[in-house]
Amino acid sequence: RCGRAVWDRFASALEVAMLRSYAVKAFEGLHHRGAEVSLVLPFHRTCGSMGDSLPKDGSLDFAFSLAERIQSALSEALATPPLHLRGALLRRVQLPAVSGPQQLMPSHDSFAAHADRATVAAYHYSAVLYLSERGDDFQDGELVFMDSDGHDRCLEPRAGRLVGFSSGLENLHRVVPPVGGPRYILALWFGSGNATCMPELTLGSLGQSSAADSSRVPGGQGQDLWAMSLAVVFIL
């Protein structure tokens, strides 16, 4: 099923601060691609090889639990089959881009329009949890859905806000470059149906969603963006 959903205050201020602090530490010394730096997360409590290089403060276990909550929220809101985690990362985007030995791809464009499943076929549903806020941490930085009716629909980054959407071309999107500060997110991608690949990343059985204030992005005049026909999906 295709669609979008938004949960404000999905993560508490304390949870956002914990995950952002973890990201700041984890990004130290990492290479950049243009304006962005990212950390791929193992998101499995038994993935020792990757986890050995990450901070040992409990943040990874916390992030894994948060991913399970996000999975449950998406499954409930979009009435999907069982979901399986296909990818997860922490990302910071900040202008101007760093230069010097930490910069691997100075020409990389972090703000180009894209659809997630067009990049990775295993991505059926995408989720973004904001760890910083427009107005407090930066200006601009909106998530823009470039809809087929010719209208752009924008979502303002708010700390703790979760945005979930089907990963196909029906949700072609881009990010407005942030100005004046860093934009932090936790991004996740899920596959639906049978876990035919990466079964070790399958999350546990769905639990009760803890998301409050769940709402759907308005679809414009007389158009329901939440009941689109299935279209073809990468994300921020």
Side-chain angles (χ1 to χ4, degrees):
R1 176 180 172 181
C2 296
R4 301 173 194 151
V6 179
W7 296 260
D8 283 328
R9 299 181 295 277
F10 182 89
S12 69
L14 180 60
E15 290 173 324
V16 168
M18 182 186 301
L19 199 53
R20 178 168 169 166
S21 176
Y22 171 76
V24 170
K25 295 176 186 176
F27 289 152
E28 292 179 1
L30 294 186
H31 290 98
H32 291 61
R33 296 192 309 157
E36 71 186 52
V37 58
S38 301
L39 176 72
V40 176
L41 300 178
F43 270 106
H44 191 266
R45 292 179 174 89
T46 61
C47 289
S49 58
M50 290 185 67
D52 289 343
S53 62
L54 301 175
K56 300 298 190 297
D57 60 359
S59 298
L60 195 59
D61 281 339
F62 161 70
F64 184 86
S65 298
L66 191 57
E68 290 179 316
R69 285 166 48 192
I70 292 171
Q71 176 202 1
S72 296
L74 261 65
S75 183
E76 181 178 348
L78 298 178
T80 69
L83 295 179
H84 310 281
L85 188 63
R86 300 304 192 201
L89 56 78
L90 289 165
R91 175 168 292 167
R92 180 182 68 209
V93 176
Q94 185 171 9
L95 293 170
V98 302
S99 58
Q102 281 189 282
Q103 181 59 258
L104 288 183
M105 299 176 62
S107 63
H108 177 72
D109 185 1
S110 301
F111 313 106
H114 60 276
D116 298 348
R117 196 174 174 190
T119 305
V120 180
Y123 294 167
H124 296 162
Y125 293 91
S126 307
V128 182
L129 179 68
Y130 291 104
L131 307 178
S132 53
E133 182 149 344
R134 180 179 181 269
D136 291 341
D137 300 300
F138 54 85
Q139 299 299 324
D140 299 334
E142 295 91 342
L143 172 61
V144 181
F145 289 100
M146 305 167 66
D147 289 336
S148 59
D149 62 0
H151 294 284
D152 289 348
R153 293 178 171 88
C154 303
L155 275 172
E156 178 180 327
R158 298 179 186 172
R161 167 177 275 184
L162 174 69
V163 182
F165 51 95
S166 52
S167 302
L169 291 171
E170 73 280 357
N171 280 317
L172 183 70
H173 59 280
R174 63 183 177 88
V175 172
V176 177
V179 176
R183 181 183 187 271
Y184 287 87
I185 63 166
L186 169 66
L188 305 100
W189 298 272
F190 299 91
S192 60
N194 294 328
T196 57
C197 62
M198 295 191 291
E200 73 279 1
L201 294 184
T202 301
L203 297 179
S205 58
L206 299 182
Q208 181 67 31
S209 172
S210 61
D213 193 22
S214 175
S215 60
R216 289 182 171 180
V217 179
Q221 297 179 353
Q223 183 180 13
D224 184 5
L225 293 177
W226 309 105
M228 292 180 172
S229 59
L230 182 63
V232 183
V233 304
F234 177 33
I235 172 178
L236 307 177

